[in-house]
Amino acid sequence: MAAKVPRQKMPEQAPGERIGNFDEVPLGFPVLAADREASRCLECKKPPCQEACPIHIDIPAFIRLIKEKKYAEGARKIKEANPLPAVCGRVCPQEGLCEKACVLAKKGEPVAIGSLERFVADEEGRHHDLFIPALPPLRREKIAVVGSGPSGLICAERLRLLGYGVTIFEALHKPGGVLMYGIPEFRLPKGIMQREIEYLKGLGIEIVLDAVVGRTVTIDELMGEAGFSAVYIAIGAGGPIFMGIPGENLNYVYSANELLTRVNLMKAYQFPRTDTPVKLGRRVAVIGGGNTALDAARSALRLGTDKVYLLYRRSRQEMPARLEEVSHAEEEGVDFQFLTAPVAFLGDENGNVKTARCIRMELGQPDASGRRRPVPIKGSEYTIELDSAVMGIGTRANPLLTSATPALTLNKWGYIVVDENHMTSLPGVFAGGDIVTGSATVIEAMATGKLAAASIDAYIQNK
Amino acid sequence: MPGKNEIIHKEDLNSESFRLCVYAPEIVRKHLPGQFVILRVHEDGERIPLSVVGTDSEKGLLDMVVQVAGKTTRLLSGLSRGDSILDVVGPLGRPTGITKVGNVVTVGGGVGIAGVVKITRAFLEEGNTVTGIIGARSRDMVILEREMRAACHTLHVATDDGSAGKKGFVTDILRGLIGDGQPIDEVLTVGPLVMMKAVADLTRPHGIRTVASLNTLMVDGTGMCGCCRCTVDGQMKFACVDGPEFDAHKIDFEELLRRQYMYADLEKTSCETCRIEENLQNGG
Ligand SMILES: Cc1cc2nc3c(=O)[nH]c(=O)nc-3n(C[C@H](O)[C@H](O)[C@H](O)COP(=O)(O)OP(=O)(O)OC[C@H]3O[C@@H](n4cnc5c(N)ncnc54)[C@H](O)[C@@H]3O)c2cc1C
Ligand SMILES: Cc1cc2nc3c(=O)[nH]c(=O)nc-3n(C[C@H](O)[C@H](O)[C@H](O)COP(=O)(O)OP(=O)(O)OC[C@H]3O[C@@H](n4cnc5c(N)ncnc54)[C@H](O)[C@@H]3O)c2cc1C
Ligand code: FES
């Protein structure tokens, strides 16, 4: 009976309208749609969705609370496992995780778990219903968390709930990591992020901004004179990758990180009301096929450009971005050029980029990632005229902290090596998130943050 | 005790620049010569890099000189003693490699003099024979002369119009020193790109090791965005984390000169908007 209700669609801003603003694209479930969608959940005895969730949210339980119209309680149920439901409801690749595992997925229409997660979180926020759970008495030991991305935030929260005093050190002037500086307003409004941060501060977690660990303070000092009993390093993989092709230092060739930081963290889309500019001209080429590239392309569309190309060296099937981002970008008019890669940028006498020399690719044998390897087609070079280019091919480990902490063992790509308890080569110093795994997802970064918190607790208890 | 990032002292040096002394004990504690800081003045403000003239570790004070260039530096100039700066981050960048090499010449131009004082003193304290050269457009634009004099054995001053020191450029003085056969083991320069390029071009044929401190555009200052990238010895480097100092003979100055003015037109818009707002506020 329940399965007869079709999967509810979330209302969205129309493409033509939304490329003229930075407001959120999906508008959230109205109450009626949420109730209907919740009614589709079969409340499986051994729920495969919960199993598939990297942090094992009790999905049937929170959906049952929606059925009972206890929306804020639904959010609190999620928060037992995840302090950032409003974020995860918006940015998790549910199609490959909980919703993929949903029994109804076999019939093609899984329960819209992500949309429901977002719904309860927004309901809790809308009613200023921020619930702060009872906290155990404060323990003697305090823990330092380096980096305020999703991995650091969940680790801090778990440790605080266990009774530890926690201080987060963040290099930038705003907390949130990629959620703040990378993912654009139209996908994750910064007001929402602010709300999640307020919750964590409400738990008594201290956040020190403008603190570049490795420069302002070192790991040794945190473990020594500053008196922390353990440190969790969650600094992400924030270094931009360039391709190493000619012309990459021409003017108006950006890394996606730079473009997105200017736009999100520094609010360049409101320039000159805000002070940080960004300049793309009329035609932009974004290189890459992941979330970063798509966020850059969709931001570019909203910055008054006429034409945004997305150059991706493989085909649509191999794109690592979330499905929703790909279809949103397509509706908005991003010109996808699949099986294409730039080989050089050429500029004018002022050093401003003017064209991209590109080459067509075909797919050969599968590579280490299991995806078919793109192979350049001889003689297929062609030229695209442009005013700016954005390199969104990925990110790498940023060596700032690790080079200031030579005792940390790194792998050959500069990521921090940890043991099965997330401990680094330095006793009492743990690490997780993208700086250990390489660029992954919000929920995977949170999963390690959560496990690391348990390991830190065990380490301190056994000391 | 002063508050975080509180302005303890502010003093105009000339019509364009002012000295700013800020309470930032955490940064002072760690600051080494050659490292810089990044400031932000208000909630929607830009992040701008500034050199550190000196530090008072007892009082936790950070000494800087700011030259009004655009909106953010103008906003800074509007702050007074007792105000606090929203964000001060640092110390950023790698410290200068201060070793005993023998005879060192430090060359500061314009507001770049601010960046060369602490480095000059460090070379002196390391036991080097240190010659300082500072230059500016005219007498009143020569800043920190007293501090420089105290930081080196011999100080030379050059002004474009000859109103102070020798008439000409800092490179004219450096050329004179080289010509006179004064032994020079290392030159370190901070200032406008054209000046640093001229210094590099001058020392290159003599094989004198020369280091330039680059003042590229920056956003985060932590190696995250790549805005500050430059080419050194054919390799891509980020000035904020790999630098700001590099072997001046290997820097692609032409590329840097082109990158410097990427936003000049927009910065002007920002400044005009700022002026209009000011006028409105002043009822004018
Ligand atoms: C543009 C973009 C879009 C994305 N979209 C999605 C998406 O839709 N869904 C999804 O699941 N994943 C997405 N991802 C991936 C996801 O954001 C990351 O996997 C995740 O944020 C990693 O979390 P983290 O906590 O490890 O690090 P980060 O989020 O990178 O946070 C690290 C924090 O540490 C700080 N830091 C770094 N060095 C220091 C230091 N030395 N001292 C102090 N602080 C420091 C940084 O400033 C930053 O705030 C996206 C990534 C990008 C770049
Ligand atoms: C490592 C480093 C150290 C610095 N030290 C000092 C210092 O001690 N004192 C000081 O006054 N300034 C210093 N600068 C330069 C200072 O950061 C810029 O003047 C400032 O960012 C201008 O901001 P604004 O908003 O006032 O002007 P904007 O409106 O941003 O710029 C005004 C004009 O100045 C140009 N400009 C912007 N940034 C720079 C730059 N980095 N170098 C040269 N021209 C620029 C712009 O293209 C524009 O034409 C330093 C820069 C770096 C990278
Ligand atoms: S300023 Fe962003 S990497 Fe240097």
Side-chain angles (χ1 to χ4, degrees):
Chain A
M1 179 215 67
K4 287 218 184 81
V5 180
R7 181 174 158 117
Q8 302 293 299
K9 276 198 74 104
M10 192 183 287
E12 290 178 349
Q13 269 198 78
E17 180 191 335
R18 71 192 188 222
I19 59 167
N21 64 56
F22 268 81
D23 299 340
E24 193 169 16
V25 171
L27 300 171
F29 271 154
V31 174
L32 195 65
D35 289 344
R36 280 217 185 108
E37 187 60 33
S39 77
R40 301 180 63 234
C41 174
L42 302 175
E43 296 184 38
C44 305
K45 279 260 157 43
K46 280 172 85 185
C49 53
Q50 181 175 6
E51 184 60 36
C53 171
I55 57 174
H56 310 302
I57 294 171
D58 190 345
I59 293 165
F62 97 77
I63 295 183
R64 171 147 12 90
L65 287 163
I66 301 179
K67 291 179 184 168
E68 295 168 8
K69 299 194 181 293
K70 295 179 185 157
Y71 307 130
E73 280 94 328
R76 277 167 222 160
K77 176 54 75 184
I78 299 176
K79 281 187 176 170
E80 287 173 14
N82 175 359
L84 309 174
V87 170
C88 289
R90 287 174 165 81
V91 307
C92 275
Q94 290 97 1
E95 69 264 19
L97 297 166
C98 53
E99 294 185 16
K100 185 179 180 192
C102 176
V103 244
L104 296 186
K106 296 190 186 75
K107 303 202 179 96
E109 291 213 309
V111 175
I113 300 169
S115 304
L116 290 175
E117 180 179 25
R118 167 181 168 167
F119 171 77
V120 291
D122 287 358
E123 280 297 303
E124 191 196 28
R126 196 164 10 249
H127 299 297
H128 305 288
D129 221 3
L130 216 56
F131 169 77
I132 306 291
L135 294 165
L138 206 57
R139 298 173 54 106
R140 212 161 27 82
E141 302 88 350
K142 39 176 203 153
I143 318 291
V145 171
V146 184
S148 64
S151 195
L153 291 178
I154 194 173
C155 183
E157 185 244 15
R158 290 291 116 174
L159 289 165
R160 183 67 197 91
L161 293 179
L162 289 168
Y164 295 97
V166 183
T167 305
I168 302 180
F169 295 88
E170 167 56 50
L172 295 173
H173 58 262
K174 285 265 186 313
V178 171
L179 307 177
M180 200 67 196
Y181 76 74
I183 302 183
E185 180 77 17
F186 56 82
R187 277 219 289 138
L188 179 60
K190 302 307 155 222
I192 303 267
M193 203 40 225
Q194 196 54 40
R195 203 168 76 208
E196 309 272 47
I197 297 287
E198 286 312 316
Y199 169 65
L200 295 168
K201 284 191 183 158
L203 293 177
I205 293 167
E206 192 193 354
I207 304 182
V208 181
L209 301 173
D210 297 332
V212 185
V213 177
R215 296 265 202 258
T216 318
V217 62
T218 62
I219 298 287
D220 281 353
E221 287 165 341
L222 291 176
M223 289 296 283
E225 61 206 66
F228 290 98
S229 303
V231 176
Y232 180 59
I233 302 175
I235 54 174
I241 296 182
F242 290 90
M243 292 177 74
I245 59 177
E248 261 180 322
N249 284 4
L250 286 167
N251 296 341
Y252 313 113
V253 178
Y254 294 88
S255 75
N257 270 6
E258 181 183 350
L259 174 70
L260 292 169
T261 301
R262 283 179 180 270
V263 172
N264 301 318
L265 184 71
M266 309 309 297
K267 306 201 197 89
Y269 66 94
Q270 295 172 338
F271 182 88
R273 196 183 74 62
T274 55
D275 300 348
T276 306
V278 67
K279 197 160 152 186
L280 295 174
R282 286 196 305 113
R283 299 154 306 182
V284 189
V286 178
I287 324 311
N291 287 321
T292 314
L294 285 169
D295 280 343
R298 296 178 65 202
S299 297
L301 273 178
R302 286 160 171 79
L303 290 165
T305 53
D306 296 340
K307 182 82 188 168
V308 177
Y309 300 99
L310 190 100
L311 313 183
Y312 181 50
R313 63 194 180 127
R314 305 187 205 238
S315 70
R316 175 186 301 271
Q317 289 71 39
E318 290 82 23
M319 284 181 87
R322 289 176 78 218
L323 272 182
E324 192 186 16
E325 300 336 312
V326 180
S327 60
H328 277 155
E330 205 153 43
E331 289 163 15
E332 289 168 8
V334 171
D335 184 342
F336 287 83
Q337 304 263 322
F338 291 111
L339 295 165
T340 292
V343 288
F345 295 109
L346 305 167
D348 64 12
E349 66 285 1
N350 299 318
N352 300 335
V353 66
K354 282 292 153 212
T355 54
R357 285 291 293 158
C358 298
I359 191 161
R360 300 271 185 211
M361 304 284 200
E362 59 192 354
L363 292 179
Q365 294 304 311
D367 64 11
S369 73
R371 295 176 303 172
R372 293 176 62 194
R373 183 193 302 275
V375 186
I377 303 174
K378 272 218 182 77
S380 69
E381 284 95 345
Y382 69 107
T383 299
I384 295 180
E385 311 235 316
L386 44 81
D387 303 301
S388 56
V390 184
M391 311 308 291
I393 51 172
T395 54
R396 56 171 168 78
N398 180 339
L400 188 144
L401 178 144
T402 49
S403 61
T405 320
L408 281 175
T409 302
L410 309 178
N411 70 15
K412 64 174 170 176
W413 299 282
Y415 293 104
I416 299 175
V417 174
V418 294
D419 65 15
E420 64 282 7
N421 296 318
H422 308 275
M423 202 181 330
T424 66
S425 50
L426 276 169
V429 178
F430 297 74
D434 281 5
I435 189 56
V436 169
T437 57
S439 308
T441 59
V442 170
I443 198 70
E444 287 168 292
M446 291 181 73
T448 51
K450 196 170 179 177
L451 291 171
S455 298
I456 290 172
D457 182 42
Y459 165 79
I460 286 178
Q461 306 273 14
N462 293 333
K463 236 184 12 185
Chain B
M1 209 172 59
K4 188 172 183 189
N5 305 341
E6 185 179 322
I7 299 173
I8 302 303
H9 178 75
K10 184 169 168 264
E11 170 195 345
D12 284 341
L13 296 182
N14 53 44
S15 57
E16 288 175 14
S17 38
F18 56 95
R19 196 161 181 166
L20 195 63
C21 201
V22 173
Y23 181 70
E26 272 106 13
I27 299 174
V28 167
R29 200 169 57 92
K30 303 289 291 207
H31 185 269
L32 293 169
Q35 291 183 306
F36 61 97
V37 296
I38 283 189
L39 310 187
R40 206 169 67 107
V41 181
H42 66 105
E43 202 36 59
D44 292 323
E46 216 175 347
R47 295 168 66 97
I48 66 153
L50 289 177
S51 311
V52 174
V53 175
T55 48
D56 179 336
S57 35
E58 238 156 71
K59 299 197 179 121
L61 300 182
L62 204 58
D63 198 7
M64 294 164 283
V65 170
V66 186
Q67 179 165 49
V68 176
K71 180 162 181 188
T72 308
T73 44
R74 269 171 66 86
L75 290 173
L76 263 176
S77 75
L79 297 180
S80 329
R81 197 179 138 189
D83 290 340
S84 286
I85 297 172
L86 183 60
D87 295 284
V88 185
V89 195
L92 298 170
R94 290 176 197 248
T96 312
I98 305 278
T99 48
K100 186 160 178 192
V101 287
N103 296 287
V104 178
V105 177
T106 60
V107 185
V111 74
I113 300 169
V116 95
V117 176
K118 194 170 173 179
I119 296 170
T120 306
R121 190 176 318 112
F123 272 119
L124 183 79
E125 284 165 2
E126 194 65 28
N128 293 288
T129 303
V130 186
T131 306
I133 306 175
I134 58 175
R137 288 201 306 275
S138 58
R139 170 184 287 277
D140 40 313
M141 291 297 145
V142 177
I143 55 169
L144 304 168
E145 186 178 337
R146 191 165 45 87
E147 287 77 357
M148 270 304 279
R149 222 169 264 294
C152 58
H153 293 102
T154 321
L155 182 72
H156 299 273
V157 179
T159 50
D160 298 3
D161 63 1
S163 54
K166 195 174 160 181
K167 181 171 160 51
F169 298 129
V170 287
T171 37
D172 295 330
I173 295 183
L174 182 60
R175 188 177 298 107
L177 297 182
I178 297 172
D180 291 347
Q182 175 170 326
I184 305 176
D185 300 299
E186 180 168 340
V187 172
L188 187 143
T189 175
V190 190
L193 277 174
V194 277
M195 182 200 95
M196 294 193 285
K197 179 176 185 300
V199 169
D201 289 342
L202 181 60
T203 55
R204 187 178 290 110
H206 302 279
I208 301 171
R209 178 182 148 78
T210 302
V211 174
S213 178
L214 297 182
N215 49 2
T216 60
L217 299 176
M218 291 187 183
V219 183
D220 61 301
T222 66
M224 188 258 275
C225 77
C227 169
C228 61
R229 64 194 189 277
C230 51
T231 304
V232 182
D233 204 11
Q235 303 243 317
M236 185 189 288
K237 295 283 177 194
F238 290 0
C240 72
V241 284
D242 301 322
E245 292 169 10
F246 296 102
D247 181 340
H249 295 148
K250 295 183 175 156
I251 296 170
D252 182 344
F253 280 106
E254 301 297 335
E255 177 183 277
L256 279 168
L257 283 163
R258 290 191 296 262
R259 287 184 70 80
Q260 196 79 29
Y261 295 103
M262 250 195 281
Y263 294 104
D265 53 340
L266 290 177
E267 304 285 14
K268 237 174 113 190
T269 315
S270 174
C271 223
E272 273 154 20
T273 321
C274 161
R275 276 202 197 117
I276 293 166
E277 279 164 11
E278 252 172 41
N279 286 344
L280 287 177
Q281 271 164 19
N282 300 338

Coordinates of all heavy atoms in Angstrom, one line a residue, chain B residues 42-79:
Chain B
H42 N 36.6 44.4 7.9 CA 35.2 44.3 8.3 C 34.6 43.1 7.7 O 35.2 42.4 6.9 CB 34.5 45.6 7.8 CG 34.4 45.7 6.3 ND1 33.2 45.5 5.6 CD2 35.3 46.1 5.4 CE1 33.5 45.7 4.4 NE2 34.7 46.0 4.2
E43 N 33.4 42.8 8.1 CA 32.7 41.5 7.8 C 32.7 41.2 6.3 O 32.8 40.0 5.9 CB 31.3 41.6 8.3 CG 30.6 40.3 8.6 CD 31.5 39.2 9.1 OE1 32.1 39.3 10.1 OE2 31.6 38.2 8.4
D44 N 32.6 42.2 5.4 CA 32.6 41.9 4.0 C 33.9 42.3 3.3 O 34.0 42.6 2.1 CB 31.5 42.6 3.3 CG 30.1 42.1 3.7 OD1 30.0 40.8 3.9 OD2 29.1 42.9 3.9
G45 N 35.0 42.4 4.2 CA 36.2 42.9 3.7 C 37.1 41.9 3.0 O 37.0 40.7 3.2
E46 N 38.1 42.5 2.3 CA 39.1 41.7 1.6 C 40.2 41.3 2.6 O 40.4 42.0 3.6 CB 39.7 42.6 0.5 CG 40.1 41.9 -0.7 CD 40.6 42.9 -1.8 OE1 40.5 44.1 -1.7 OE2 41.1 42.4 -2.8
R47 N 40.9 40.3 2.3 CA 42.1 39.9 3.1 C 43.3 40.5 2.4 O 43.6 40.2 1.3 CB 42.2 38.3 3.1 CG 41.1 37.6 3.8 CD 41.2 36.1 3.5 NE 42.3 35.5 4.1 CZ 42.3 34.8 5.2 NH1 41.2 34.7 5.9 NH2 43.4 34.3 5.7
I48 N 44.0 41.3 3.1 CA 45.2 41.9 2.5 C 46.5 41.6 3.3 O 46.5 41.6 4.5 CB 45.1 43.5 2.3 CG1 45.1 44.2 3.7 CG2 43.9 43.8 1.5 CD1 45.6 45.6 3.6
P49 N 47.6 41.2 2.5 CA 48.8 40.9 3.2 C 49.6 42.2 3.5 O 49.6 43.2 2.8 CB 49.6 40.1 2.1 CG 48.9 40.4 0.8 CD 47.6 41.0 1.1
L50 N 50.3 42.2 4.7 CA 51.2 43.3 5.1 C 52.5 42.7 5.7 O 52.4 41.7 6.4 CB 50.5 44.2 6.1 CG 49.3 45.0 5.7 CD1 48.8 45.8 6.9 CD2 49.8 46.0 4.6
S51 N 53.6 43.4 5.5 CA 54.8 43.0 6.1 C 54.8 43.5 7.6 O 54.0 44.3 8.0 CB 56.0 43.7 5.4 OG 55.9 43.5 4.1
V52 N 55.8 42.9 8.3 CA 55.9 43.3 9.7 C 57.2 44.1 9.9 O 58.3 43.6 9.6 CB 55.9 42.0 10.6 CG1 56.2 42.4 12.1 CG2 54.6 41.3 10.5
V53 N 57.1 45.3 10.3 CA 58.3 46.2 10.5 C 59.1 45.7 11.7 O 60.3 45.6 11.6 CB 57.9 47.6 10.7 CG1 59.1 48.5 11.0 CG2 57.1 48.2 9.5
G54 N 58.4 45.4 12.7 CA 59.1 44.9 13.9 C 58.1 44.4 14.9 O 56.9 44.5 14.7
T55 N 58.6 43.7 16.0 CA 57.7 43.2 17.0 C 58.3 43.5 18.4 O 59.5 43.6 18.5 CB 57.7 41.6 16.8 OG1 59.0 41.1 16.8 CG2 56.9 41.2 15.6
D56 N 57.4 43.7 19.3 CA 57.7 43.9 20.7 C 57.2 42.7 21.5 O 56.0 42.6 21.8 CB 57.1 45.2 21.2 CG 57.5 45.5 22.6 OD1 57.8 44.5 23.4 OD2 57.4 46.7 23.0
S57 N 58.1 41.7 21.7 CA 57.5 40.5 22.3 C 57.1 40.7 23.7 O 56.2 40.0 24.2 CB 58.6 39.4 22.2 OG 59.8 39.8 22.3
E58 N 57.7 41.6 24.4 CA 57.2 41.8 25.8 C 55.8 42.3 25.9 O 55.0 41.9 26.6 CB 58.1 42.9 26.5 CG 58.8 42.3 27.7 CD 60.1 43.1 28.0 OE1 59.9 44.3 28.4 OE2 61.1 42.6 27.8
K59 N 55.5 43.3 25.0 CA 54.2 43.9 25.0 C 53.2 43.2 24.0 O 52.0 43.6 23.9 CB 54.2 45.4 24.6 CG 55.1 46.2 25.6 CD 54.8 47.7 25.5 CE 55.6 48.5 26.5 NZ 56.4 49.5 25.8
G60 N 53.7 42.3 23.2 CA 52.9 41.6 22.3 C 52.4 42.5 21.1 O 51.3 42.3 20.6
L61 N 53.3 43.4 20.7 CA 52.9 44.3 19.7 C 53.5 44.0 18.3 O 54.7 43.7 18.2 CB 53.3 45.7 20.1 CG 52.7 46.2 21.4 CD1 53.1 47.7 21.7 CD2 51.2 46.1 21.4
L62 N 52.7 44.2 17.3 CA 53.1 44.0 15.9 C 53.1 45.4 15.2 O 52.1 46.1 15.3 CB 52.0 43.2 15.3 CG 52.2 42.3 14.1 CD1 53.2 41.3 14.4 CD2 50.8 41.6 13.8
D63 N 54.2 45.7 14.6 CA 54.4 47.0 14.1 C 54.4 46.9 12.5 O 55.1 46.1 12.0 CB 55.8 47.5 14.5 CG 56.0 49.0 14.4 OD1 55.0 49.7 14.0 OD2 57.1 49.5 14.6
M64 N 53.5 47.7 11.9 CA 53.4 47.6 10.5 C 53.3 49.0 9.9 O 53.0 50.0 10.6 CB 52.1 46.9 10.1 CG 52.1 45.5 10.5 SD 50.4 44.7 10.5 CE 49.7 45.4 12.0
V65 N 53.6 49.1 8.6 CA 53.4 50.4 7.9 C 52.5 50.1 6.7 O 52.7 49.2 5.9 CB 54.7 51.0 7.4 CG1 54.5 52.2 6.5 CG2 55.6 51.5 8.6
V66 N 51.5 50.9 6.5 CA 50.5 50.7 5.5 C 50.5 51.9 4.5 O 50.5 53.1 5.0 CB 49.1 50.6 6.0 CG1 48.1 50.3 4.9 CG2 49.0 49.6 7.2
Q67 N 50.6 51.6 3.3 CA 50.5 52.7 2.3 C 49.1 52.6 1.6 O 48.7 51.5 1.2 CB 51.5 52.5 1.2 CG 51.4 53.6 0.1 CD 52.7 53.6 -0.7 OE1 53.1 52.5 -1.2 NE2 53.3 54.7 -0.9
V68 N 48.3 53.7 1.6 CA 47.0 53.7 1.1 C 47.1 53.4 -0.4 O 47.7 54.2 -1.2 CB 46.2 55.0 1.4 CG1 44.9 54.9 0.7 CG2 46.1 55.1 2.9
A69 N 46.5 52.3 -0.8 CA 46.5 51.9 -2.3 C 45.1 51.8 -2.8 O 44.8 52.1 -4.0 CB 47.2 50.5 -2.4
G70 N 44.2 51.3 -2.0 CA 42.8 51.1 -2.5 C 41.9 51.0 -1.3 O 42.2 51.6 -0.2
K71 N 40.8 50.3 -1.4 CA 39.7 50.3 -0.4 C 40.1 49.9 1.0 O 39.9 50.6 2.0 CB 38.5 49.5 -0.9 CG 37.4 49.6 0.1 CD 36.1 49.2 -0.4 CE 35.0 49.3 0.7 NZ 33.7 48.8 0.3
T72 N 40.8 48.7 1.0 CA 41.1 48.1 2.4 C 42.1 49.0 3.1 O 41.9 49.2 4.3 CB 41.5 46.7 2.2 OG1 40.6 46.0 1.4 CG2 41.7 46.0 3.6
T73 N 43.1 49.4 2.4 CA 44.1 50.2 3.1 C 43.5 51.6 3.5 O 43.9 52.2 4.5 CB 45.4 50.4 2.2 OG1 44.9 50.7 0.8 CG2 46.2 49.2 2.2
R74 N 42.5 52.1 2.7 CA 41.8 53.3 3.1 C 41.0 53.1 4.4 O 41.0 53.9 5.3 CB 40.9 53.8 2.0 CG 41.5 54.7 1.0 CD 40.5 54.9 -0.2 NE 39.3 55.6 0.3 CZ 39.2 56.9 0.3 NH1 40.2 57.7 0.0 NH2 38.0 57.4 0.7
L75 N 40.3 52.0 4.4 CA 39.5 51.7 5.6 C 40.4 51.6 6.8 O 40.1 52.0 7.9 CB 38.7 50.4 5.4 CG 37.6 50.4 4.4 CD1 37.0 49.1 4.1 CD2 36.5 51.4 4.8
L76 N 41.6 50.9 6.6 CA 42.5 50.8 7.7 C 43.0 52.2 8.2 O 43.1 52.4 9.4 CB 43.8 50.1 7.3 CG 43.9 48.6 7.5 CD1 45.1 48.0 6.9 CD2 43.9 48.3 9.0
S77 N 43.2 53.1 7.2 CA 43.6 54.4 7.6 C 42.6 55.2 8.4 O 42.9 56.1 9.2 CB 44.1 55.2 6.4 OG 42.9 55.7 5.7
G78 N 41.3 54.7 8.3 CA 40.2 55.4 9.0 C 40.1 54.9 10.4 O 39.3 55.5 11.2
L79 N 40.8 53.8 10.8 CA 40.7 53.3 12.2 C 41.6 54.2 13.1 O 42.6 54.8 12.7 CB 41.2 51.9 12.2 CG 40.3 50.9 11.4 CD1 40.9 49.5 11.6 CD2 38.9 50.9 11.8

